[in-house]
Amino acid sequence: IDKSENRNQVFYGARVDEACRPLGASPLYAYWRMRELGPTQTEALLSHEQPGYGLETQQLVSRASAGGGSVRARLRAWPNRPLRIDLFRSPTGCAARASAEIQHRPAIIQSIYIDIGFLFSVNYAIVRGFRISDGHAVQEKY
């Protein structure tokens, strides 16, 4: 998640085993990439940041015996839009892909941008991605 107030970004990670299978009942977590401090600096979300960027719920959907798996999740700031996070092995190690509906069709999420208003209110958000059915770029502003 990119935001308008600075270059810091919220990322979501997953705890996985050596076969890229999700670990435990709640493998997902959120953290900051502190781009203002350096390219590799990270920090945990603070408690007052959880309502804006934290996870509302997460549920293990599958844990494949050969590797990988899926988790269904909802962001606190976006509770009406469920996400599906697919975990899998890639040539460079474990990888993840998040999908949700964009313009009422299943899509792979590429990015989320939030325009921050007065006293940390949200003026608007834009989610961008690619439709699963045909790879067409889509976006939605809300």
Side-chain angles (χ1 to χ4, degrees), residues 4 13 17 25 30 34 39 45 49 54 56 62 74 77 80 82 88 90 94 100 113-114 121 123 139:
S4 61
D17 67 14
M34 304 302 288
L45 290 184
E49 295 168 332
E56 176 82 14
S62 69
R74 292 179 190 271
N80 296 330
F88 54 93
S90 77
C94 295
Y113 173 81
I114 298 175
S121 64
N123 292 327
Q139 75 175 30

Side-chain angles (χ1 to χ4, degrees), residues 3-109:
K3 53 193 179 53
S4 61
E5 65 183 355
N6 59 37
R7 294 181 315 128
N8 297 334
Q9 299 171 305
V10 175
F11 274 72
Y12 297 88
R15 292 174 198 84
V16 296
D17 67 14
E18 64 283 344
C20 303
R21 291 180 296 235
L23 284 175
S26 299
L28 305 178
Y29 60 95
Y31 64 96
W32 286 104
R33 284 226 174 142
M34 304 302 288
R35 303 273 192 218
E36 297 284 321
L37 301 176
T40 61
Q41 291 282 28
T42 62
E43 292 182 11
L45 290 184
L46 300 174
S47 59
H48 72 275
E49 295 168 332
Q50 290 291 335
Y53 305 109
L55 293 159
E56 176 82 14
T57 62
Q58 56 181 296
Q59 175 187 12
L60 184 64
V61 175
S62 69
R63 193 169 189 270
S65 60
S70 297
V71 179
R72 186 174 301 121
R74 292 179 190 271
L75 300 178
R76 287 185 179 178
W78 204 19
N80 296 330
R81 180 110 24 140
L83 306 172
R84 179 184 171 108
I85 293 74
D86 294 309
L87 305 161
F88 54 93
R89 177 150 314 276
S90 77
T92 58
C94 295
R97 178 176 39 242
S99 58
E101 285 197 0
I102 301 175
Q103 295 180 347
H104 308 288
R105 307 240 337 248
I108 303 299
I109 297 173

